[in-house]
C-alpha cells in the first residue's frame, strides 16, 4: 500500500538487509523535486575516502542518538516526544558536564564536552549532533581537515576536507532525517553561507576527544521522564506529542522538517576502483524512518494548524 506521500508501508523493508534510499523512497517523500538521476561523479581516492569516513561517522552518531533530533518533527513524532525530552535535558546538562570533565582535563574542549552530554542524554539538536560527529572524528584523526561549520546562523554541521572545495568536501550531518553522506556540491546549501567555526588538522587522534567519549552510560527513559515530569512534561507518548505541538503553536515556534541535505541521494561516485552511492540504510532503520514519515503525514492532515507548519534550511 502507498500512503499519501507515495511511501510504501509493505513488508519489503523487512525482507532486505540493506536498502538504497533512491530505490525505495520517491523523491517527493524527501521534499525533492524532479527524479533521481543516478549520475556518476568521478572523484579522487582521497575524496572517496572522505565520503566513506563521513558515512561511517554518521552511522556512529545515529547509533549513539537513536531517538533522533529534538527539533525535527519526524523524530519528535516517531519517538513519541522522547527526542524532544532528551534534547531539552542535553541543553540543560551541558555546563555541568563540561565542569565535571574539566576536573579531570582542565582544558577540555567545549565541543568535546557537548558531545559527551549528547551521547549521555542520547539527545540534542543540530549543534549536539555536529559536536558528536566532530568529536568522533577528532578522536580518530584524519588526513583531511575536520571542520565544524555554521550555515546561515541557523544550522551546524561537520565537514571532511577543504571547505573551499565544494566538489571534494564530504558532509557529515546525522541530524537530517535520512542521513546521506554526500559532497557539498550535491546539496542545496550555498557554500558562501557556510562559516567554519573550528577545525581539527591532525592524523593523530586527540586524546581529549577520546576521553570525552569513553565510558558513557546513556540515561534510561525512566530517568528522563522523571526529570522532565518535574518541569510539567508528560511522559513519552502521544499525549506528549500533542502537548508539544500545542505549546509550539502558542509560542509561535516551529520545528524543522529536513528530510535530507542531498540534492540527489542517488548520486554515485567513481574513484577508479569502485562506483557507489552513499544512501544505503538497514531495512529496520528504513522501516522506522518510513513509519515516522507516515505518522507525521497523518497528524499534519488531521491537525494542520498544529503539525503542518515547519521550517527548513
Amino acid at each position: 500500500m502507498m500512503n499519501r506521500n507515495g511511501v510504501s508501508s509493505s513488508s519489503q523493508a523487512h525482507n532486505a538487509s540493506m536498502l538504497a534510499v533512491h530505490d525505495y523512497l520517491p523523491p517527493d517523500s524527501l521534499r525533492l523535486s524532479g527524479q533521481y538521476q543516478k549520475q556518476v561523479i568521478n572523484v579522487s581516492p582521497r575524496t572517496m575516502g572522505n565520503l566513506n569516513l563521513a558515512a561511517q561517522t554518521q552511522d556512529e552518531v545515529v547509533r549513539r542518538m537513536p531517538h533522533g533530533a529534538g527539533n525535527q518533527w519526524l523524530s519528535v513524532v516517531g519517538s513519541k516526544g522522547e527526542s524532544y525530552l532528551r534534547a531539552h535535558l542535553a541543553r540543560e546538562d551541558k555546563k555541568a558536564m563540561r565542569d565535571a570533565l574539566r576536573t579531570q582535563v582542565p582544558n577540555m574542549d567545549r565541543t568535546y564536552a557537548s558531545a559527551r552530554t549528547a551521547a549521555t542524554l542520547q539527545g540534542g539538536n543540530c549543534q549536539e549532533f555536529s559536536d558528536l560527529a566532530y568529536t568522533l572524528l577528532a578522536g580518530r584523526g584524519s588526513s583531511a581537515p575536520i571542520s565544524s561549520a555554521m550555515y546561515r546562523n541557523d544550522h551546524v554541521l561537520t565537514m571532511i576536507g577543504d571547505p573551499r572545495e565544494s566538489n571534494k568536501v564530504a558532509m557529515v550531518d546525522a541530524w537530517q532525517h535520512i542521513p546521506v553522506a554526500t559532497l557539498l556540491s550535491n546539496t542545496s546549501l550555498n557554500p558562501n553561507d557556510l562559516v567554519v567555526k573550528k577545525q581539527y588538522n591532525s592524523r593523530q587522534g586527540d586524546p581529549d576527544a577520546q576521553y570525552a567519549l569513553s565510558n558513557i552510560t546513556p540515561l534510561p527513559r525512566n530517568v528522563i521522564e522523571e526529570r522532565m515530569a518535574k518541569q510539567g512534561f508528560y511522559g513519552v507518548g502521544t499525549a506528549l506529542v500533542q502537548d508539544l505541538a500545542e505549546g509550539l503553536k502558542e509560542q509561535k515556534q516551529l520545528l524543522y522538517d529536513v528530510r535530507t541535505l542531498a540534492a540527489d541521494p542517488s548520486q554515485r561516485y567513481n574513484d577508479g576502483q569502485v562506483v557507489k552511492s552513499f544512501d544505503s540504510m538497514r531495512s529496520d532503520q528504513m522501516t522506522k524512518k518510513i513509519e515516522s514519515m507516515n505518522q507525521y503525514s497523518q497528524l499534519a492532515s488531521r491537525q494542520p494548524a498544529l503539525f503542518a507548519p515547519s521550517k527548513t534550511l
Side-chain angles (χ1 to χ4, degrees):
M1 179 180 293
M2 304 293 284
N3 69 24
R4 66 190 295 271
N5 274 332
V7 180
S8 172
S9 57
S10 71
S11 62
Q12 179 181 352
H14 296 281
N15 296 331
S17 58
M18 294 294 291
L19 297 172
V21 170
H22 69 268
D23 286 336
Y24 199 75
L25 296 178
D28 61 351
S29 72
L30 300 180
R31 303 288 193 256
L32 300 174
S33 59
Q35 299 299 314
Y36 296 131
Q37 299 302 309
K38 299 183 181 179
Q39 184 180 12
V40 177
I41 304 298
N42 293 324
V43 298
S44 68
R46 180 183 178 91
T47 298
M48 184 69 90
N50 292 345
L51 284 164
N52 280 317
L53 182 55
Q56 293 164 11
T57 304
Q58 285 184 165
D59 287 347
E60 178 62 12
V61 173
V62 169
R63 187 186 72 80
R64 289 174 178 259
M65 307 279 269
H67 311 285
N71 61 350
Q72 282 260 46
W73 264 128
L74 295 178
S75 295
V76 171
V77 170
S79 69
K80 294 182 171 55
E82 186 165 358
S83 69
Y84 185 94
L85 299 184
R86 288 181 176 276
H88 184 97
L89 289 179
R91 292 285 171 103
E92 279 192 358
D93 289 1
K94 194 172 291 189
K95 184 180 184 302
M97 181 69 76
R98 183 170 67 246
D99 291 344
L101 281 171
R102 286 179 174 171
T103 63
Q104 302 298 319
V105 183
N107 296 318
M108 176 60 70
D109 188 284
R110 294 172 67 93
T111 298
Y112 299 167
S114 172
R116 183 175 182 87
T117 308
T120 301
L121 274 297
Q122 292 188 325
N125 298 334
C126 64
Q127 179 75 63
E128 289 73 30
F129 274 76
S130 179
D131 289 346
L132 181 52
Y134 183 93
T135 303
L136 285 165
L137 288 164
R140 179 186 184 280
S142 171
S143 59
I146 305 300
S147 303
S148 175
M150 175 76 75
Y151 185 68
R152 292 182 176 173
N153 213 31
D154 184 54
H155 183 57
V156 185
L157 47 77
T158 301
M159 301 185 292
I160 305 173
D162 189 334
R164 297 168 297 184
E165 300 178 305
S166 65
N167 63 335
K168 296 181 181 178
V169 64
M171 312 302 287
V172 186
D173 193 356
W175 172 85
Q176 56 188 316
H177 187 62
I178 304 291
V180 177
T182 191
L183 298 181
L184 174 56
S185 56
N186 184 39
T187 72
S188 59
L189 304 181
N190 184 343
N192 295 325
D193 292 333
L194 279 166
V195 178
V196 173
K197 294 295 186 179
K198 66 189 308 177
Q199 195 170 84
Y200 187 78
N201 292 281
S202 178
R203 293 175 179 269
Q204 301 299 315
D206 188 337
D208 287 356
Q210 297 166 3
Y211 180 83
L213 294 181
S214 65
N215 302 316
I216 291 176
T217 301
L219 288 186
R221 177 188 292 178
N222 67 302
V223 174
I224 300 294
E225 290 180 318
E226 287 172 6
R227 289 183 57 186
M228 292 300 285
K230 295 176 182 178
Q231 299 186 37
F233 286 86
Y234 287 101
V236 173
T238 55
L240 171 61
V241 174
Q242 182 72 23
D243 188 59
L244 290 174
E246 292 172 357
L248 289 165
K249 185 174 185 294
E250 290 175 4
Q251 298 166 25
K252 295 182 168 58
Q253 295 182 0
L254 296 175
L255 295 185
Y256 289 87
D257 183 7
V258 176
R259 312 241 167 151
T260 182
L261 291 186
D264 186 351
S266 74
Q267 188 166 103
R268 293 177 291 167
Y269 301 92
N270 177 12
D271 68 351
Q273 298 294 323
V274 65
V275 179
K276 63 185 295 189
S277 65
F278 287 89
D279 65 337
S280 293
M281 183 179 295
R282 287 203 328 264
S283 58
D284 60 321
Q285 293 176 325
M286 181 76 80
T287 297
K288 185 177 179 181
K289 297 291 186 182
I290 290 173
E291 287 174 351
S292 65
M293 291 164 68
N294 292 345
Q295 290 164 8
Y296 175 65
S297 178
Q298 292 167 8
L299 287 170
S301 294
R302 294 170 185 167
Q303 303 180 72
L306 287 182
F307 291 96
S310 64
K311 56 183 176 178
T312 187
L313 299 179

